[in-house]
Amino acid sequence: MSGRQMTLPARPAGPPQPSTHARTPSGVSAASGAAPGQARSNFPPPLGYDPGKIDTRPPLSHEERVGKRVDLPADAYLKADISSTFATRSGFNSEGTPTRLSVNQYPVTRIANMDVFQYDVALSPEPTGGVVYDKVWKSKAVQQKLASVTKKPWIYDGRKLAWLAQSVDEMRLLVDLDEERGRKPGGERKNAFHITIRPTGKVRLQSLRAYLMKTAPWDNHVLECMSFLDHLLRQGPSERMKTIKRSFFHPSMPGRELDMLLMAYKGVYASFRLSENVKQIGLGVNVDVSNQTFWKANPADKMIKYVINTYGGLRRDQLQNLDDQMITSVLKPLVTQGRYEQSEAMRALRRLKGCRFTLSHRPNETKEYKIKGFAFDKKYGPNGANSYNVKFNWRQQDGTEKEISIRDYMKERYGYVVRQAGWPVIETTRAGSFPAEVCNIVAFNQYQYKLDPQQTASMIKFAVQRPDQRKKDISASVQRLDWANDKYLKAFGVSISPEMAKTEAKVLRHPEVFFEKKTARPLNTGRWDLRGARFIEGNKEPLTHWGFIGLNMCVDGRAVSNFVQQFTNIYKGHGGRIAKNPYTTNINANPATLADELHKHVPQIVAGRKDLCPQIVFIAVPDKSAHLYERLKKIFECRYGIVTQVLNCDHVKKAQGQYISNVCMKVNAKLGGQTSSLTATKAKSHNFFIRPTMMIGVDVTHASPGSDMPSIAAMCASVDVEGYQYRAAVQTNGWHNEILTDENINTWIPTFLKAYKEKTGREVEDIYYFRDGVSEGQFAHVMEQEVKAIKKAFRERSKKEAKMTVIVATKRHHIRFFPDKGDKNGNPEPGTLVEREVTHPFHYDFFLNSHFALQGTARPVHYHVLMDEIKPQVNNLQRMIYQQCYTFCRATTPISLHPAVYYAHLAGARARCHENRDYGNNARVPEKVRDQVNNPNNLVAKHQDPTTYSSDWKKNNPPPRLIPMQARIHNTMWWV
């Protein structure tokens, strides 16, 4: 910031708390000894303080902070030391059938050609939390001062910046927040701040227009325009609704209870986007329905019960008798090797960290507090940091201090008898500690964790909307935003159309899908079936050594025999080769004995021959348990190198033909076959490639919220001439690191190039590199790091340069299409291509809806070409991407995303099964067997529980590598 703070004496801080006591509970008033303005550094580390949890990531740049709120182009993140430039659009598609549709982007129809005056807002002394800035700005003293200077409305970012449509002189005044709340100041002012509002410069809106017209490059002036416009757009709605990132929520909006813990609400997403339509303004507002999960508004003690019930690791019979006494018991510390550790139920309560709450024992107070954590410290012994044990020095009116427990303080100060005094107390950041039973968690506390399967299913039902309903809800959201009457937009001369933008689109020609002796013509239905279809290529080797295992008697011998017979007949009908019946058995195993039980039967599949390995093993499981599935994949892929096909027992019992045909597609791919082709025979080319070409897809998956697990990178590459068959490589990729490491690239690229040469007899010359999961802020990093490393690895092996076309494919956006004439659900038909209105004014990007949406509103994929050395014609590139979506090996419908990226996503998800870890954060797995579940018979070395990796440790240590798969499995499509 360009402003400079006044040099003023700091507020005197109260005496530091003795380290042997907890911080004073917030119930203490200033008169009774509390120091509301006490500086944070004067307090000892809070109970349960973990220095390893300090965030050591570098602070966000100004561009990254703005990019969190508004869609910035990739140019915004280019630095002086980055030489990358991005491909520009060479033309538009000329092949498809023209059509028209609406997009949920609302054109900006007017921006005043004016300068906006920017002001720096500084407080002295500097507060420790951003909420103080907002309180001071909204205080009566400040608002009266601003109103006396000008009648024009101010825009404020909640922290350091303000904007006004005129120039005013610097302002300074003193704001006492205690006086604002009606408290009488006694002695020193501990909650008073000097605020300085001083002019720092101008935001020239004309610079944004110059960039859109390509008469000026992106620079800081354009960035400041976008930042200002974003705050301008949000100022009015944020005064009426709850703001979360780019969305607004209100209690009157539709909501649904997901379970006893969570609520889902529909909100309004709104964000400025650059637009290709520069003839108008070149700017639009993307408005969409936003679905978000929140903690339910409940008393905190009730929420504690629910959290322990759901995530606390208790047995099912314990949950039925969950009373206050049992909760007291399960929250007590555990003794492990002579030291106190948090119980599993106590660790589960970490999920409530950050929730805001009010106090029931002070009903006239509306102030909200924030949960920092639940108190835990070994010094409190076997009963933990509860209301009996946590004490502080309570300053009396005569100036003396009295040591008192929180339980006794509540009784003496408020006449309140704490019922659950054995529970750990709730800590706040600055306001002290409270018994849980007097805390009421308020609405709209965002839920930051991954939903479980049941919650996910409920959320999907709530979120899914047909296009006509979504369009109505978006229009209602625009009415709620009420741009026409927004005093802030009017003051700065900005007008936004209340009608969705209409744009031209193209529908690309649908391909034919060829099987042996059958041709499917999906047309605009986007579907075909396998009846009478023989795969273009069956399994390489006839099935002679394969097995079928039922777990825990979920299927009987008769059902297994029937399924095997049906599978044999149907797979042979599709061109598969089966020479012998499988070895079949049923085993009884729990998570701790699963590996040992399987080990008894794997040799019998090959009749005890040590020179053979099972070709594939079918496994029928009793339910959709994720940890059982992951365990099975880990055992077979890492220990034995065997591909598997996991089946739900209900489907095995039914043995329906369509289900078995779908299984056949997956089995055929895993055994080296090819499902279909875009040409009548394998020998005929689809003419997408001029030279030997490899398709590469990359995705990096990160740990779910609340987990400290490492990132996992997956790269999939085609190894045949026409780009149908793929190989995959997976590995950890650092901690929360999106960009591929050089080590992974240097390991994988030579392996893929060798596999391509062995299968085709030719050397790769061209590479189409599809990248998923990166935002515009990371485009330059992809170019500077990943692409350069791939070219270097290619050059070192092939002794020549590779030509690359680099394409980022993303579905993380809020653009939706509403065609004038769509499919039966109202969605655009497969092949709908949009290159105007919602694309960048001159970058090479487009939106493609390649799939048929079975439910809800279709989400198109945004393809952004960063580099184009191969230089296919626009028509050819878009046709290739669309038609290859029909070649996904296990589908009878075009998929929504290019298969190279889709395969990488699947491989990365599967690689989570290969992590060298415990199921330490899976509350559904009994704690005592978790080591055996993940490490049977010490299959892998024991490692530190990854949930305890500190930031300092991660700075100096790479994550543990994945457990390696056996070599024989690498030449299969094991991940499908």
Side-chain angles (χ1 to χ4, degrees), residues 311-331:
Y311 305 110
L314 301 183
R315 298 192 311 271
R316 192 171 297 277
D317 60 326
Q318 291 177 305
L319 301 179
Q320 298 173 358
N321 304 303
L322 197 60
D323 56 20
D324 289 0
Q325 190 60 40
M326 174 172 279
I327 292 178
T328 301
S329 176
V330 299
L331 290 175

Side-chain angles (χ1 to χ4, degrees), residues 697-725:
V698 170
D699 188 26
V700 179
T701 62
H702 304 287
S704 58
S707 171
D708 287 331
M709 297 306 296
S711 301
I712 290 182
M715 179 181 286
C716 287
S718 63
V719 293
D720 63 330
V721 173
E722 301 298 323
Y724 295 116
Q725 296 180 323

Side-chain angles (χ1 to χ4, degrees), residues 278-316:
V278 294
K279 291 182 179 179
Q280 195 165 39
I281 292 291
L283 198 64
V285 179
N286 181 200
V287 180
D288 194 18
V289 176
S290 176
N291 298 286
Q292 182 64 55
T293 51
F294 300 92
W295 293 101
K296 289 178 65 176
N298 263 322
D301 56 339
K302 195 174 183 179
M303 290 296 280
I304 288 174
K305 291 182 182 180
Y306 291 160
V307 169
I308 294 174
N309 198 330
T310 307
Y311 305 110
L314 301 183
R315 298 192 311 271
R316 192 171 297 277

Side-chain angles (χ1 to χ4, degrees), residues 213-229:
M213 297 303 295
K214 213 175 178 180
T215 59
W218 183 279
D219 59 16
N220 195 57
H221 295 292
V222 188
L223 177 66
E224 295 303 332
C225 287
M226 294 301 294
S227 178
F228 161 71
L229 289 172

Side-chain angles (χ1 to χ4, degrees), residues 112 114 273 304 394 502 514 546 681 684 898 908:
M114 63 181 291
R273 282 178 58 91
I304 288 174
W394 181 19
K502 284 271 193 179
F514 292 92
W546 55 302
T681 65
K684 185 177 180 181
H898 190 275

Side-chain angles (χ1 to χ4, degrees), residues 795-813:
R795 187 167 55 248
E796 289 177 350
R797 185 188 185 279
S798 302
K799 310 305 179 186
K800 59 182 180 182
E801 290 289 337
K803 287 187 176 181
M804 292 183 65
T805 290
V806 180
I807 304 171
V808 172
T810 181
K811 298 181 76 174
R812 295 179 183 175
H813 60 78

Side-chain angles (χ1 to χ4, degrees), residues 913-955:
C913 306
H914 304 163
E915 285 180 301
N916 198 348
R917 66 173 174 92
D918 298 335
Y919 279 90
N921 58 356
N922 189 334
R924 297 300 189 187
V925 183
E927 189 169 14
K928 292 183 179 179
V929 303
R930 288 182 191 168
D931 285 347
Q932 294 170 289
V933 170
N934 291 272
N935 192 14
N937 298 328
N938 294 314
L939 172 64
V940 297
K942 177 67 177 175
H943 284 266
Q944 178 186 11
D945 179 358
T947 60
T948 66
Y949 291 140
S950 70
S951 296
D952 286 338
W953 191 93
K954 289 191 289 188
K955 277 197 305 183

